Amino acid sequence: MTKPLEGVRVLDIATLFAGPMAAMFLGDFGAEVVKVEHPRRPDPSRGHGAAKDGIGLWWKMLGRNKQTITLDLSVPEGQELLLRLARDADVIIENFRPGTLERWNLSYERLSEANPGLVLARVTGFGQFGPYARRPGFGTLAEAMSGFAAMTGEPDGPPTLPPFGLADGIAALAAAYAVMTALRARDASGTGQVVDLSIIEPILTVLGGQPTAYDQLGIVPPRTGNRSVNNAPRNTYRCSDGSWVAVSTSAQSIAERVMRLVGHPEYLDEPWFATGAGRAEHADELDAAVAAWVGARTRAEVLESFERAEAAVAPIYDVADIMADPQLAALEAITTVDDPDLGAVRMQNVLFRLSGTPGAVRWSGRSHGADTDRILGSLGLSADDIAGLRSRGVV
């Protein structure tokens, strides 16, 4: 079956997470992605996180649906080879500090001379200009500076950072969207362009209307733990078997069902109960009522009762729970991929389902430079040419 992005050629010359994950998203739906790595310094994501028999497991997901070659872009021969690859590419994704490509004589001006329709996606910590542009940029810094950390954590605790690449993942989604937008514009004009995406801006956007509330009302959001300033009860609650559930009452009708279920319908008659903000001001008493009811029951009993009452609840899962959940199994949210190093490997599936042209994880992350000879051969280089490049450290 034809993939929706079949025929789109992507050069992924980025490292670590945001840029490479954007390329992964494009590859999941059929784009031909070539991962370009330094011959002696592979993408650090290959060694990031858990490993089995010395094989990085995160890379198996992040590198999926990508061909892998090696090129030293800091030397003229490597630069010329990238230009040759760029002539037939639609997209290059990079995340070097601003000025690095220019220093390597790979500016967009030079790249677009080789291919006027090329889209260059530049994913950096702080964008291509401004006083912070040349600072090292990582997702952690974006999580700190976007306002996320300041509003995350308990009210009397420190600002809290996520234990995973949240800002990088959000930036990757934004970058994939930006690339598709730029390609759509190219379809109309015939001309490519530069995508300038900072990691900080997408997470700032998904945090909601904070800037507007500050602009109009001077509000600086406090840390509220698992509570919300917009509704209650909204928290995590411990069951009698030691497991946890999360309850949300964003809708008034759900809040009413929850309080009836836990045996406190009297709260529905209180004037403050009629609004989410009013309920949030009385979160202590509402939480106490829900916590007492949940704490007297097992998770299975809680979930069954909430479902019967058509109230909103979810078990708090760890990854073992995720792998066993029947709903996620029905959605095929976790897929199994045959890997030459590890055998059958399970990982997250593609992000969404298309009824006519679905995406797929066709293969897992390949070894460093696995496709170098074949891809360079497709440019007309002989085996002796490639051997010479390898002896000079270019590939």
Side-chain angles (χ1 to χ4, degrees):
M1 187 176 294
T2 301
K3 304 298 181 188
L5 297 183
E6 195 167 305
V8 175
R9 295 180 174 179
V10 180
L11 298 177
D12 170 13
I13 65 173
T15 59
L16 288 173
F17 305 116
M21 186 173 285
M24 182 197 82
F25 291 141
L26 299 173
D28 283 351
F29 286 89
E32 180 185 340
V33 181
V34 175
K35 172 73 175 178
V36 180
E37 298 174 84
H38 192 280
R40 293 166 296 284
R41 296 189 297 277
D43 189 324
S45 66
R46 288 183 178 272
H48 197 90
K52 181 180 180 182
D53 299 330
I55 299 167
L57 300 180
W58 200 330
W59 166 253
K60 289 298 181 182
M61 183 195 80
L62 191 62
R64 72 193 194 191
N65 294 333
K66 299 179 184 181
Q67 304 165 69
T68 61
I69 71 169
T70 58
L71 280 181
D72 185 348
L73 300 181
S74 69
V75 300
E77 285 183 291
Q79 296 156 14
E80 288 299 326
L81 287 170
L82 186 76
L83 281 171
R84 292 176 66 176
L85 290 169
R87 290 190 184 105
D88 293 323
D90 298 284
V91 181
I92 294 178
I93 300 176
E94 66 102 353
N95 69 337
F96 301 107
R97 289 197 212 182
T100 300
L101 285 189
E102 289 75 9
R103 190 172 70 250
W104 291 343
N105 200 24
L106 291 170
S107 66
Y108 184 67
E109 288 71 26
R110 190 178 183 207
L111 291 167
S112 62
E113 285 177 7
N115 180 354
L118 184 69
V119 171
L120 175 63
R122 314 193 76 168
V123 183
T124 57
F126 302 103
Q128 293 295 309
F129 56 90
Y132 304 158
R134 292 185 178 272
R135 291 183 180 180
F138 297 99
T140 297
L141 309 187
E143 290 146 9
M145 293 180 65
S146 63
F148 173 86
M151 65 181 296
T152 304
E154 294 300 322
D156 57 351
T160 302
L161 295 166
F164 63 98
L166 176 64
D168 284 291
I170 297 171
L173 289 166
Y177 166 53
V179 164
M180 296 308 300
T181 302
L183 289 176
R184 179 66 181 89
R186 189 197 65 180
D187 290 345
S189 69
T191 304
Q193 61 184 298
V194 176
V195 172
D196 176 7
L197 186 141
S198 73
I199 296 175
I200 193 172
E201 289 173 284
I203 189 172
L204 173 62
T205 297
V206 302
L207 286 174
Q210 295 180 43
T212 306
Y214 178 77
D215 174 66
Q216 297 295 306
L217 301 171
I219 294 173
V220 176
R223 287 191 287 284
T224 59
N226 291 321
R227 289 180 174 176
S228 168
V229 297
N230 300 311
N231 62 79
R234 191 264 197 184
N235 213 326
T236 60
Y237 305 93
R238 188 180 178 95
C239 304
S240 63
D241 56 8
S243 57
W244 292 78
V245 297
V247 172
S248 175
T249 58
S250 296
Q252 181 68 24
S253 60
I254 298 296
E256 293 172 2
R257 292 172 194 168
V258 168
M259 297 318 296
R260 288 193 186 100
L261 174 63
V262 302
H264 288 277
E266 70 276 10
Y267 285 122
L268 277 63
D269 298 325
E270 297 287 348
W272 50 261
F273 195 87
T275 66
R279 296 197 308 275
E281 292 176 357
H282 293 262
D284 285 345
E285 52 198 292
L286 295 176
D287 266 348
V290 175
W293 187 90
V294 170
R297 292 160 176 81
T298 66
R299 185 170 78 177
E301 292 170 333
V302 170
L303 297 177
E304 181 183 359
S305 297
F306 265 74
E307 185 172 350
R308 193 165 52 245
E310 297 184 355
V313 69
I316 292 180
Y317 277 172
D318 60 23
V319 68
D321 297 317
I322 290 168
M323 301 296 258
D325 182 80
Q327 176 62 30
L328 295 175
L331 295 175
E332 297 184 7
I334 303 297
T335 190
T336 301
V337 186
D338 288 329
D339 180 81
D341 300 314
L342 301 170
V345 176
R346 290 192 289 173
M347 63 180 66
Q348 300 95 317
N349 209 339
V350 299
L351 280 174
F352 48 85
R353 286 161 294 283
L354 295 179
S355 61
T357 55
V361 181
R362 301 183 300 282
W363 65 84
S364 56
R366 290 169 61 73
S367 60
H368 183 225
D371 303 288
T372 300
D373 289 22
R374 181 180 56 79
I375 290 174
L376 294 185
S378 72
L379 297 178
L381 277 71
S382 68
D384 288 343
D385 294 332
I386 297 170
L389 291 169
R390 189 165 281 121
S391 70
R392 295 190 294 277
V394 179
V395 302

